[in-house]
Amino acid sequence: MLRKIFITFLTIALIGGLNAQQLHNPISNFGMGDFLDNDQTAVFTTGWANNTFTDRYHVNLSNPASYSFLQSTSFEVGLNGKYSTLTNEFSNYSFFSGQLSHLSLAFPIFSPYNELMEKKVKKIHWGMGLGLAPYSQVSYNYQFKTTDPEAGNILNSQVGSGGIYKLFYNNGLSYKNFSFGIGAQYIFGKIERKKEIGFSDVSAQLSNITALESEVYAKGFLFDFSAMYVHSFNPITNGKKTDYDKEKKLTFGASFQPLSKLKTNISQLDYVYSNQLGLSLSDTISNVSGKISKNNYNSAYGAGISYQDGSKWKININYDAQLFDEYAVAGLDANYKNSGVFKVGGEWCPEPNSYTSFLKRSKYRAGFRTGTMPLTIDGSQAKVVSGTIGFGFPVFVNRQISHVNIGLEMGKKTYGSSFSEQFYKLQIGFNLNDDLWFLKRKFE
C-alpha cells in the first residue's frame, strides 16, 4: 500500500509539472510572479482556517500542529481550475488556467487501533507528513507599441515563464490540551524572462532588436512553528471520554514563520540581433552567468479561534499576515509591502452518523476573506475580497472511509484604481484514508 501511494505521489507530481498550462497573466511579470493559494480544499472552503483547522481524516499543510489530530493515514490530491477576467481602463482580457494545487501524504505515528486493542490511552499523539504545492507562477506573453518623437514607433515584447514550488515536511505533537508543530519547507524553482525592443519604422536592412534574457534559479528553506490549545466543554460523559462526534470544544491557534534566507542563481544575457537575419547575433552588450546571491525572504504570522460542536458544526475566525519589509531577492525584485487577510468561515453536517442518507452525513462549508496582498503597483497595494462555498462527501473504499472535497471561490483582486481581476476558481480534493497503517498484528 505504501509503495503504491508513493509511486502515485511521484507520478502525479511529474505529470503536473510537465503539463503546466501556458497562459497570459501580466501580474506575474513582477518579482516572484503571481502568488498562488495552495490551501487544501477542506481548509479553504471553511474560510481559509489555516491556524485552527483540525480533523481526524485531513491535515492542514499550512499548520504543522494540525498533524497531531490525525487518526488515519491521509493521501490527498488537489486539482483546480480558474477563470479570470482582467480589466483596466482601456480593455479587458479573460483566460482559463488549471493545475495541480497540492499533494499530501500524512499519517499518525501511533495507530488509534492499537490503543483500542491494547486498552491504553496514550498521552502523546504524533503525526507527520510530506506535501508538495506550487507557490508562485510566471506566465505572460504580450506586445505593445510606444511612439518616440525621434525614433518613431517602438515595438516592445515581453515573455515570461516558470514558477516556484514548496516541498513540505511537517510534524505535529500533542500533549493533553496543547499541540505544537514544526515544519520545514524547501522552496525551489526557475523563472525565465525575456524583453525585446525593436524600431518598426526603420527599414528591415538596418533594423536591430535589443533583447534581455534572464534565468533565475531560487532555492532555500523556510521554517514554520505553530501551536494550538483546545478547551473541551464536555470532556467526560457518563464517566467515559466523550465521543469525538459529540465533543464541544474551543480551539485557539497561532503560527509563526521567521525571516529566512533564499539563494538565487542568476544568468543574464543582454544582446542585439538582426531582425532581417532572425536570431543572428550582432552584438553582446553584457553576459552574466551563474551569479549567486543570498537574500532575505519574508516572515509571517497568524492567529485564529474556532468553536466546534462535535461533528455537527463549527465556525472559525482567522487572521494571517506576511511581512515583506525586509524582502530583498536579487533577480526577483518587486515592490512588496506587508500584507494581512481577515478570514471567517465554518461547516455544517446535518447528521454525521446517518446510515440512510448520503447528503445528511455530507459536510457543507462556506467562507469569506478580505485584506491586502504583497504586490504594490503605482503606489497602490493590491487587495483581495472573495467568498467560497464547499462540500465534503464521505465515500467508502475497501470498507474504509475516504473523502471527496469540492470548493468554489468567487472574488476580485484590485491592483490600484485602474486594474482588477475578477475570478472563479473550482477546486477538487481527493482524500484517501487508511486506518490500518502501523497496526500491530496479533495471532491467537
PDB file of all heavy atoms in Angstrom, residues 360-385:
ATOM      1  N   LYS A 360     -27.121  13.729   4.175  1.00  0.00           N
ATOM      2  CA  LYS A 360     -27.193  14.137   5.572  1.00  0.00           C
ATOM      3  C   LYS A 360     -25.854  13.961   6.290  1.00  0.00           C
ATOM      4  O   LYS A 360     -25.553  14.691   7.236  1.00  0.00           O
ATOM      5  CB  LYS A 360     -28.281  13.349   6.303  1.00  0.00           C
ATOM      6  CG  LYS A 360     -29.694  13.789   5.970  1.00  0.00           C
ATOM      7  CD  LYS A 360     -30.720  13.032   6.798  1.00  0.00           C
ATOM      8  CE  LYS A 360     -32.139  13.496   6.478  1.00  0.00           C
ATOM      9  NZ  LYS A 360     -33.149  12.756   7.282  1.00  0.00           N
ATOM     10  N   ARG A 361     -25.036  13.019   5.857  1.00  0.00           N
ATOM     11  CA  ARG A 361     -23.735  12.845   6.501  1.00  0.00           C
ATOM     12  C   ARG A 361     -22.617  13.577   5.748  1.00  0.00           C
ATOM     13  O   ARG A 361     -21.447  13.487   6.122  1.00  0.00           O
ATOM     14  CB  ARG A 361     -23.396  11.364   6.643  1.00  0.00           C
ATOM     15  CG  ARG A 361     -23.240  10.589   5.359  1.00  0.00           C
ATOM     16  CD  ARG A 361     -22.820   9.143   5.646  1.00  0.00           C
ATOM     17  NE  ARG A 361     -22.665   8.368   4.427  1.00  0.00           N
ATOM     18  CZ  ARG A 361     -23.599   7.619   3.882  1.00  0.00           C
ATOM     19  NH1 ARG A 361     -24.794   7.546   4.462  1.00  0.00           N
ATOM     20  NH2 ARG A 361     -23.380   6.953   2.770  1.00  0.00           N
ATOM     21  N   SER A 362     -22.978  14.328   4.706  1.00  0.00           N
ATOM     22  CA  SER A 362     -22.009  15.167   3.998  1.00  0.00           C
ATOM     23  C   SER A 362     -21.844  16.496   4.728  1.00  0.00           C
ATOM     24  O   SER A 362     -22.684  16.893   5.537  1.00  0.00           O
ATOM     25  CB  SER A 362     -22.481  15.417   2.561  1.00  0.00           C
ATOM     26  OG  SER A 362     -22.576  14.212   1.836  1.00  0.00           O
ATOM     27  N   LYS A 363     -20.741  17.196   4.439  1.00  0.00           N
ATOM     28  CA  LYS A 363     -20.455  18.473   5.097  1.00  0.00           C
ATOM     29  C   LYS A 363     -20.637  19.620   4.111  1.00  0.00           C
ATOM     30  O   LYS A 363     -20.250  19.526   2.950  1.00  0.00           O
ATOM     31  CB  LYS A 363     -19.033  18.469   5.655  1.00  0.00           C
ATOM     32  CG  LYS A 363     -18.839  17.463   6.780  1.00  0.00           C
ATOM     33  CD  LYS A 363     -17.452  17.545   7.385  1.00  0.00           C
ATOM     34  CE  LYS A 363     -17.324  16.568   8.560  1.00  0.00           C
ATOM     35  NZ  LYS A 363     -15.986  16.633   9.207  1.00  0.00           N
ATOM     36  N   TYR A 364     -21.206  20.704   4.624  1.00  0.00           N
ATOM     37  CA  TYR A 364     -21.489  21.890   3.812  1.00  0.00           C
ATOM     38  C   TYR A 364     -20.711  23.063   4.402  1.00  0.00           C
ATOM     39  O   TYR A 364     -20.821  23.360   5.594  1.00  0.00           O
ATOM     40  CB  TYR A 364     -22.990  22.165   3.782  1.00  0.00           C
ATOM     41  CG  TYR A 364     -23.775  20.980   3.271  1.00  0.00           C
ATOM     42  CD1 TYR A 364     -24.202  19.975   4.141  1.00  0.00           C
ATOM     43  CD2 TYR A 364     -24.031  20.826   1.910  1.00  0.00           C
ATOM     44  CE1 TYR A 364     -24.896  18.862   3.667  1.00  0.00           C
ATOM     45  CE2 TYR A 364     -24.728  19.722   1.429  1.00  0.00           C
ATOM     46  CZ  TYR A 364     -25.155  18.734   2.315  1.00  0.00           C
ATOM     47  OH  TYR A 364     -25.832  17.636   1.843  1.00  0.00           O
ATOM     48  N   ARG A 365     -19.915  23.726   3.566  1.00  0.00           N
ATOM     49  CA  ARG A 365     -18.946  24.705   4.054  1.00  0.00           C
ATOM     50  C   ARG A 365     -19.106  26.051   3.348  1.00  0.00           C
ATOM     51  O   ARG A 365     -19.595  26.127   2.223  1.00  0.00           O
ATOM     52  CB  ARG A 365     -17.525  24.172   3.836  1.00  0.00           C
ATOM     53  CG  ARG A 365     -17.258  22.829   4.503  1.00  0.00           C
ATOM     54  CD  ARG A 365     -15.925  22.265   4.103  1.00  0.00           C
ATOM     55  NE  ARG A 365     -15.578  21.066   4.856  1.00  0.00           N
ATOM     56  CZ  ARG A 365     -15.154  19.928   4.319  1.00  0.00           C
ATOM     57  NH1 ARG A 365     -15.008  19.837   3.006  1.00  0.00           N
ATOM     58  NH2 ARG A 365     -14.870  18.895   5.071  1.00  0.00           N
ATOM     59  N   ALA A 366     -18.646  27.099   4.021  1.00  0.00           N
ATOM     60  CA  ALA A 366     -18.664  28.439   3.438  1.00  0.00           C
ATOM     61  C   ALA A 366     -17.613  29.296   4.124  1.00  0.00           C
ATOM     62  O   ALA A 366     -17.250  29.050   5.289  1.00  0.00           O
ATOM     63  CB  ALA A 366     -20.038  29.078   3.568  1.00  0.00           C
ATOM     64  N   GLY A 367     -17.098  30.301   3.414  1.00  0.00           N
ATOM     65  CA  GLY A 367     -16.095  31.175   3.987  1.00  0.00           C
ATOM     66  C   GLY A 367     -16.011  32.498   3.255  1.00  0.00           C
ATOM     67  O   GLY A 367     -16.534  32.655   2.141  1.00  0.00           O
ATOM     68  N   PHE A 368     -15.334  33.443   3.886  1.00  0.00           N
ATOM     69  CA  PHE A 368     -15.169  34.793   3.314  1.00  0.00           C
ATOM     70  C   PHE A 368     -13.823  35.336   3.775  1.00  0.00           C
ATOM     71  O   PHE A 368     -13.374  35.071   4.893  1.00  0.00           O
ATOM     72  CB  PHE A 368     -16.300  35.709   3.791  1.00  0.00           C
ATOM     73  CG  PHE A 368     -16.114  37.147   3.401  1.00  0.00           C
ATOM     74  CD1 PHE A 368     -16.440  37.576   2.123  1.00  0.00           C
ATOM     75  CD2 PHE A 368     -15.598  38.068   4.309  1.00  0.00           C
ATOM     76  CE1 PHE A 368     -16.253  38.910   1.757  1.00  0.00           C
ATOM     77  CE2 PHE A 368     -15.412  39.401   3.951  1.00  0.00           C
ATOM     78  CZ  PHE A 368     -15.753  39.814   2.663  1.00  0.00           C
ATOM     79  N   ARG A 369     -13.168  36.117   2.911  1.00  0.00           N
ATOM     80  CA  ARG A 369     -11.905  36.751   3.272  1.00  0.00           C
ATOM     81  C   ARG A 369     -11.806  38.141   2.643  1.00  0.00           C
ATOM     82  O   ARG A 369     -12.387  38.406   1.585  1.00  0.00           O
ATOM     83  CB  ARG A 369     -10.704  35.912   2.830  1.00  0.00           C
ATOM     84  CG  ARG A 369     -10.570  35.765   1.318  1.00  0.00           C
ATOM     85  CD  ARG A 369      -9.259  35.097   0.929  1.00  0.00           C
ATOM     86  NE  ARG A 369      -9.191  34.857  -0.509  1.00  0.00           N
ATOM     87  CZ  ARG A 369      -8.073  34.516  -1.161  1.00  0.00           C
ATOM     88  NH1 ARG A 369      -6.932  34.381  -0.500  1.00  0.00           N
ATOM     89  NH2 ARG A 369      -8.085  34.310  -2.468  1.00  0.00           N
ATOM     90  N   THR A 370     -11.058  39.008   3.289  1.00  0.00           N
ATOM     91  CA  THR A 370     -10.790  40.346   2.761  1.00  0.00           C
ATOM     92  C   THR A 370      -9.473  40.848   3.333  1.00  0.00           C
ATOM     93  O   THR A 370      -9.137  40.562   4.489  1.00  0.00           O
ATOM     94  CB  THR A 370     -11.930  41.321   3.112  1.00  0.00           C
ATOM     95  OG1 THR A 370     -11.628  42.610   2.565  1.00  0.00           O
ATOM     96  CG2 THR A 370     -12.118  41.453   4.613  1.00  0.00           C
ATOM     97  N   GLY A 371      -8.712  41.561   2.523  1.00  0.00           N
ATOM     98  CA  GLY A 371      -7.435  42.055   3.007  1.00  0.00           C
ATOM     99  C   GLY A 371      -6.541  42.528   1.886  1.00  0.00           C
ATOM    100  O   GLY A 371      -6.989  42.761   0.749  1.00  0.00           O
ATOM    101  N   THR A 372      -5.266  42.657   2.192  1.00  0.00           N
ATOM    102  CA  THR A 372      -4.287  43.151   1.230  1.00  0.00           C
ATOM    103  C   THR A 372      -3.333  42.043   0.818  1.00  0.00           C
ATOM    104  O   THR A 372      -3.120  41.078   1.549  1.00  0.00           O
ATOM    105  CB  THR A 372      -3.476  44.313   1.834  1.00  0.00           C
ATOM    106  OG1 THR A 372      -2.859  43.878   3.062  1.00  0.00           O
ATOM    107  CG2 THR A 372      -4.379  45.500   2.120  1.00  0.00           C
ATOM    108  N   MET A 373      -2.737  42.213  -0.369  1.00  0.00           N
ATOM    109  CA  MET A 373      -1.724  41.299  -0.883  1.00  0.00           C
ATOM    110  C   MET A 373      -0.391  42.041  -0.976  1.00  0.00           C
ATOM    111  O   MET A 373      -0.363  43.276  -0.968  1.00  0.00           O
ATOM    112  CB  MET A 373      -2.154  40.755  -2.246  1.00  0.00           C
ATOM    113  CG  MET A 373      -3.441  39.940  -2.197  1.00  0.00           C
ATOM    114  SD  MET A 373      -3.891  39.241  -3.818  1.00  0.00           S
ATOM    115  CE  MET A 373      -4.195  40.729  -4.774  1.00  0.00           C
ATOM    116  N   PRO A 374       0.732  41.334  -1.083  1.00  0.00           N
ATOM    117  CA  PRO A 374       2.044  41.997  -1.022  1.00  0.00           C
ATOM    118  C   PRO A 374       2.324  42.978  -2.167  1.00  0.00           C
ATOM    119  O   PRO A 374       2.948  44.018  -1.947  1.00  0.00           O
ATOM    120  CB  PRO A 374       3.025  40.820  -1.058  1.00  0.00           C
ATOM    121  CG  PRO A 374       2.247  39.638  -0.589  1.00  0.00           C
ATOM    122  CD  PRO A 374       0.851  39.866  -1.062  1.00  0.00           C
ATOM    123  N   LEU A 375       1.882  42.677  -3.390  1.00  0.00           N
ATOM    124  CA  LEU A 375       2.293  43.452  -4.561  1.00  0.00           C
ATOM    125  C   LEU A 375       1.735  44.875  -4.529  1.00  0.00           C
ATOM    126  O   LEU A 375       0.554  45.097  -4.240  1.00  0.00           O
ATOM    127  CB  LEU A 375       1.847  42.755  -5.837  1.00  0.00           C
ATOM    128  CG  LEU A 375       2.272  43.419  -7.149  1.00  0.00           C
ATOM    129  CD1 LEU A 375       3.793  43.477  -7.258  1.00  0.00           C
ATOM    130  CD2 LEU A 375       1.671  42.683  -8.349  1.00  0.00           C
ATOM    131  N   THR A 376       2.603  45.843  -4.842  1.00  0.00           N
ATOM    132  CA  THR A 376       2.214  47.249  -4.926  1.00  0.00           C
ATOM    133  C   THR A 376       2.550  47.772  -6.318  1.00  0.00           C
ATOM    134  O   THR A 376       3.677  47.602  -6.801  1.00  0.00           O
ATOM    135  CB  THR A 376       2.948  48.088  -3.870  1.00  0.00           C
ATOM    136  OG1 THR A 376       2.600  47.595  -2.572  1.00  0.00           O
ATOM    137  CG2 THR A 376       2.558  49.549  -3.961  1.00  0.00           C
ATOM    138  N   ILE A 377       1.558  48.380  -6.982  1.00  0.00           N
ATOM    139  CA  ILE A 377       1.729  48.920  -8.330  1.00  0.00           C
ATOM    140  C   ILE A 377       1.332  50.391  -8.315  1.00  0.00           C
ATOM    141  O   ILE A 377       0.227  50.736  -7.878  1.00  0.00           O
ATOM    142  CB  ILE A 377       0.877  48.147  -9.361  1.00  0.00           C
ATOM    143  CG1 ILE A 377       1.263  46.667  -9.369  1.00  0.00           C
ATOM    144  CG2 ILE A 377       1.048  48.745 -10.751  1.00  0.00           C
ATOM    145  CD1 ILE A 377       0.416  45.833 -10.312  1.00  0.00           C
ATOM    146  N   ASP A 378       2.238  51.247  -8.786  1.00  0.00           N
ATOM    147  CA  ASP A 378       1.976  52.690  -8.847  1.00  0.00           C
ATOM    148  C   ASP A 378       1.526  53.242  -7.494  1.00  0.00           C
ATOM    149  O   ASP A 378       0.614  54.082  -7.411  1.00  0.00           O
ATOM    150  CB  ASP A 378       0.926  53.002  -9.922  1.00  0.00           C
ATOM    151  CG  ASP A 378       1.409  52.660 -11.327  1.00  0.00           C
ATOM    152  OD1 ASP A 378       2.637  52.734 -11.549  1.00  0.00           O
ATOM    153  OD2 ASP A 378       0.570  52.327 -12.181  1.00  0.00           O
ATOM    154  N   GLY A 379       2.141  52.744  -6.425  1.00  0.00           N
ATOM    155  CA  GLY A 379       1.851  53.253  -5.100  1.00  0.00           C
ATOM    156  C   GLY A 379       0.619  52.685  -4.436  1.00  0.00           C
ATOM    157  O   GLY A 379       0.329  53.017  -3.277  1.00  0.00           O
ATOM    158  N   SER A 380      -0.115  51.806  -5.114  1.00  0.00           N
ATOM    159  CA  SER A 380      -1.332  51.219  -4.546  1.00  0.00           C
ATOM    160  C   SER A 380      -1.116  49.740  -4.265  1.00  0.00           C
ATOM    161  O   SER A 380      -0.693  48.993  -5.156  1.00  0.00           O
ATOM    162  CB  SER A 380      -2.516  51.396  -5.494  1.00  0.00           C
ATOM    163  OG  SER A 380      -2.815  52.759  -5.684  1.00  0.00           O
ATOM    164  N   GLN A 381      -1.400  49.322  -3.031  1.00  0.00           N
ATOM    165  CA  GLN A 381      -1.229  47.930  -2.658  1.00  0.00           C
ATOM    166  C   GLN A 381      -2.431  47.113  -3.120  1.00  0.00           C
ATOM    167  O   GLN A 381      -3.572  47.543  -3.014  1.00  0.00           O
ATOM    168  CB  GLN A 381      -1.056  47.795  -1.147  1.00  0.00           C
ATOM    169  CG  GLN A 381      -0.658  46.393  -0.700  1.00  0.00           C
ATOM    170  CD  GLN A 381      -0.211  46.352   0.747  1.00  0.00           C
ATOM    171  OE1 GLN A 381      -0.225  47.352   1.440  1.00  0.00           O
ATOM    172  NE2 GLN A 381       0.201  45.184   1.214  1.00  0.00           N
ATOM    173  N   ALA A 382      -2.154  45.924  -3.621  1.00  0.00           N
ATOM    174  CA  ALA A 382      -3.220  45.050  -4.130  1.00  0.00           C
ATOM    175  C   ALA A 382      -4.132  44.591  -2.993  1.00  0.00           C
ATOM    176  O   ALA A 382      -3.683  44.379  -1.863  1.00  0.00           O
ATOM    177  CB  ALA A 382      -2.613  43.849  -4.838  1.00  0.00           C
ATOM    178  N   LYS A 383      -5.424  44.413  -3.324  1.00  0.00           N
ATOM    179  CA  LYS A 383      -6.413  43.977  -2.340  1.00  0.00           C
ATOM    180  C   LYS A 383      -7.182  42.776  -2.884  1.00  0.00           C
ATOM    181  O   LYS A 383      -7.286  42.586  -4.092  1.00  0.00           O
ATOM    182  CB  LYS A 383      -7.389  45.119  -2.031  1.00  0.00           C
ATOM    183  CG  LYS A 383      -6.738  46.347  -1.424  1.00  0.00           C
ATOM    184  CD  LYS A 383      -7.756  47.453  -1.172  1.00  0.00           C
ATOM    185  CE  LYS A 383      -7.100  48.684  -0.566  1.00  0.00           C
ATOM    186  NZ  LYS A 383      -8.077  49.782  -0.342  1.00  0.00           N
ATOM    187  N   VAL A 384      -7.711  41.983  -1.970  1.00  0.00           N
ATOM    188  CA  VAL A 384      -8.500  40.816  -2.361  1.00  0.00           C
ATOM    189  C   VAL A 384      -9.761  40.736  -1.505  1.00  0.00           C
ATOM    190  O   VAL A 384      -9.724  41.001  -0.302  1.00  0.00           O
ATOM    191  CB  VAL A 384      -7.675  39.510  -2.222  1.00  0.00           C
ATOM    192  CG1 VAL A 384      -7.224  39.294  -0.786  1.00  0.00           C
ATOM    193  CG2 VAL A 384      -8.475  38.313  -2.728  1.00  0.00           C
ATOM    194  N   VAL A 385     -10.864  40.395  -2.155  1.00  0.00           N
ATOM    195  CA  VAL A 385     -12.135  40.110  -1.489  1.00  0.00           C
ATOM    196  C   VAL A 385     -12.723  38.896  -2.185  1.00  0.00           C
ATOM    197  O   VAL A 385     -12.864  38.891  -3.421  1.00  0.00           O
ATOM    198  CB  VAL A 385     -13.124  41.287  -1.566  1.00  0.00           C
ATOM    199  CG1 VAL A 385     -14.461  40.899  -0.944  1.00  0.00           C
ATOM    200  CG2 VAL A 385     -12.569  42.516  -0.880  1.00  0.00           C
TER     201      VAL A 385
END
